[in-house]
Short mmCIF file of all heavy atoms in Angstrom, two decimals:
data_model
loop_
_atom_site.label_atom_id
_atom_site.label_comp_id
_atom_site.label_asym_id
_atom_site.label_seq_id
_atom_site.Cartn_x
_atom_site.Cartn_y
_atom_site.Cartn_z
N ALA A 393 3.54 -17.69 -14.22
CA ALA A 393 2.16 -17.53 -13.88
C ALA A 393 1.89 -16.03 -13.52
O ALA A 393 0.73 -15.58 -13.76
CB ALA A 393 1.86 -18.39 -12.69
N ILE A 394 2.83 -15.43 -12.95
CA ILE A 394 2.58 -13.92 -12.47
C ILE A 394 2.30 -13.07 -13.69
O ILE A 394 1.70 -12.01 -13.52
CB ILE A 394 3.84 -13.53 -11.74
CG1 ILE A 394 3.52 -12.21 -10.85
CG2 ILE A 394 5.03 -13.28 -12.58
CD1 ILE A 394 4.59 -11.85 -9.85
N TRP A 395 2.72 -13.51 -14.92
CA TRP A 395 2.63 -12.66 -16.19
C TRP A 395 1.37 -12.88 -16.87
O TRP A 395 1.19 -12.17 -17.89
CB TRP A 395 3.89 -12.86 -17.02
CG TRP A 395 5.24 -12.56 -16.21
CD1 TRP A 395 5.94 -13.46 -15.64
CD2 TRP A 395 5.79 -11.28 -16.03
NE1 TRP A 395 7.03 -12.87 -15.00
CE2 TRP A 395 6.88 -11.54 -15.20
CE3 TRP A 395 5.45 -9.92 -16.38
CZ2 TRP A 395 7.84 -10.46 -14.85
CZ3 TRP A 395 6.38 -8.93 -15.97
CH2 TRP A 395 7.48 -9.18 -15.26
N GLU A 396 0.69 -13.98 -16.50
CA GLU A 396 -0.43 -14.43 -17.38
C GLU A 396 -1.75 -14.23 -16.76
O GLU A 396 -1.91 -14.05 -15.76
CB GLU A 396 0.00 -15.85 -17.78
CG GLU A 396 1.28 -15.94 -18.55
CD GLU A 396 1.76 -17.34 -18.88
OE1 GLU A 396 1.07 -18.26 -18.41
OE2 GLU A 396 2.70 -17.46 -19.66
N THR A 397 -2.75 -14.50 -17.67
CA THR A 397 -4.14 -14.35 -17.25
C THR A 397 -4.88 -15.71 -17.68
O THR A 397 -4.49 -16.25 -18.63
CB THR A 397 -4.88 -13.19 -17.90
OG1 THR A 397 -4.71 -13.21 -19.34
CG2 THR A 397 -4.19 -11.85 -17.40
N PRO A 398 -5.90 -15.95 -17.04
CA PRO A 398 -6.46 -15.27 -15.87
C PRO A 398 -5.68 -15.62 -14.53
O PRO A 398 -5.17 -16.66 -14.49
CB PRO A 398 -7.99 -15.71 -15.77
CG PRO A 398 -7.80 -17.19 -16.31
CD PRO A 398 -6.78 -17.12 -17.45
N GLN A 399 -5.70 -14.73 -13.77
CA GLN A 399 -5.19 -14.90 -12.38
C GLN A 399 -6.13 -15.59 -11.55
O GLN A 399 -7.42 -15.51 -11.74
CB GLN A 399 -4.71 -13.60 -11.73
CG GLN A 399 -3.54 -12.95 -12.37
CD GLN A 399 -2.33 -13.75 -12.06
OE1 GLN A 399 -1.90 -13.94 -10.95
NE2 GLN A 399 -1.60 -14.12 -13.16
N PRO A 400 -5.70 -16.31 -10.42
CA PRO A 400 -6.72 -16.93 -9.53
C PRO A 400 -7.55 -15.82 -8.95
O PRO A 400 -6.95 -14.82 -8.47
CB PRO A 400 -5.78 -17.66 -8.55
CG PRO A 400 -4.55 -17.90 -9.15
CD PRO A 400 -4.39 -16.66 -10.12
N VAL A 401 -8.84 -16.08 -8.85
CA VAL A 401 -9.66 -15.12 -8.17
C VAL A 401 -9.43 -15.20 -6.64
O VAL A 401 -9.44 -14.16 -6.01
CB VAL A 401 -11.23 -15.53 -8.43
CG1 VAL A 401 -12.13 -14.61 -7.57
CG2 VAL A 401 -11.55 -15.37 -9.89
N GLU A 402 -9.23 -16.45 -6.09
CA GLU A 402 -8.94 -16.57 -4.74
C GLU A 402 -7.62 -17.31 -4.36
O GLU A 402 -7.26 -18.23 -5.13
CB GLU A 402 -10.04 -17.46 -4.05
CG GLU A 402 -11.43 -16.73 -4.19
CD GLU A 402 -12.59 -17.62 -3.53
OE1 GLU A 402 -12.62 -18.80 -3.95
OE2 GLU A 402 -13.22 -17.13 -2.64
N ARG A 403 -6.97 -16.79 -3.43
CA ARG A 403 -5.78 -17.50 -2.83
C ARG A 403 -5.93 -17.76 -1.37
O ARG A 403 -6.30 -16.79 -0.66
CB ARG A 403 -4.54 -16.66 -3.14
CG ARG A 403 -4.05 -16.55 -4.60
CD ARG A 403 -2.79 -15.72 -4.80
NE ARG A 403 -2.21 -15.87 -6.04
CZ ARG A 403 -2.54 -14.97 -7.07
NH1 ARG A 403 -3.40 -13.92 -6.88
NH2 ARG A 403 -1.96 -15.00 -8.23
N LEU A 404 -5.50 -18.87 -1.01
CA LEU A 404 -5.60 -19.20 0.51
C LEU A 404 -4.17 -19.79 0.78
O LEU A 404 -3.78 -20.83 0.24
CB LEU A 404 -6.77 -20.21 0.77
CG LEU A 404 -6.77 -20.68 2.17
CD1 LEU A 404 -7.25 -19.57 3.06
CD2 LEU A 404 -7.82 -21.88 2.30
N PHE A 405 -3.52 -19.25 1.83
CA PHE A 405 -2.18 -19.67 2.18
C PHE A 405 -2.12 -19.99 3.70
O PHE A 405 -2.84 -19.32 4.51
CB PHE A 405 -1.18 -18.72 1.92
CG PHE A 405 -1.07 -18.37 0.44
CD1 PHE A 405 -1.49 -17.14 -0.01
CD2 PHE A 405 -0.50 -19.29 -0.53
CE1 PHE A 405 -1.26 -16.81 -1.39
CE2 PHE A 405 -0.38 -18.89 -1.85
CZ PHE A 405 -0.78 -17.72 -2.21
N ASP A 406 -1.49 -20.99 4.06
CA ASP A 406 -1.12 -21.33 5.45
C ASP A 406 0.32 -20.83 5.60
O ASP A 406 1.27 -21.50 5.20
CB ASP A 406 -1.17 -22.92 5.74
CG ASP A 406 -0.80 -23.23 7.16
OD1 ASP A 406 -0.26 -22.32 7.86
OD2 ASP A 406 -0.85 -24.42 7.40
N THR A 407 0.47 -19.63 6.11
CA THR A 407 1.85 -19.05 6.13
C THR A 407 2.70 -19.55 7.24
O THR A 407 3.86 -19.33 7.23
CB THR A 407 1.66 -17.47 6.39
OG1 THR A 407 1.09 -17.19 7.63
CG2 THR A 407 0.82 -16.81 5.21
N SER A 408 2.05 -20.40 8.02
CA SER A 408 2.90 -21.05 9.03
C SER A 408 3.75 -22.22 8.33
O SER A 408 4.96 -22.44 8.43
CB SER A 408 2.15 -21.73 10.25
OG SER A 408 2.95 -22.46 11.05
N ALA A 409 2.97 -23.09 7.56
CA ALA A 409 3.62 -24.15 6.84
C ALA A 409 4.30 -23.72 5.54
O ALA A 409 5.23 -24.34 5.09
CB ALA A 409 2.56 -25.23 6.56
N ASP A 410 3.86 -22.57 5.03
CA ASP A 410 4.25 -22.14 3.63
C ASP A 410 4.54 -20.66 3.78
O ASP A 410 3.75 -19.81 3.19
CB ASP A 410 3.18 -22.44 2.63
CG ASP A 410 3.38 -21.95 1.29
OD1 ASP A 410 4.64 -21.77 0.95
OD2 ASP A 410 2.36 -21.63 0.53
#
Side-chain angles (χ1 to χ4, degrees):
I394 196 171
W395 304 96
E396 298 176 352
T397 58
Q399 287 291 303
V401 176
E402 297 181 304
R403 289 181 169 92
L404 178 67
F405 298 110
D406 178 354
T407 63
S408 177
D410 176 26

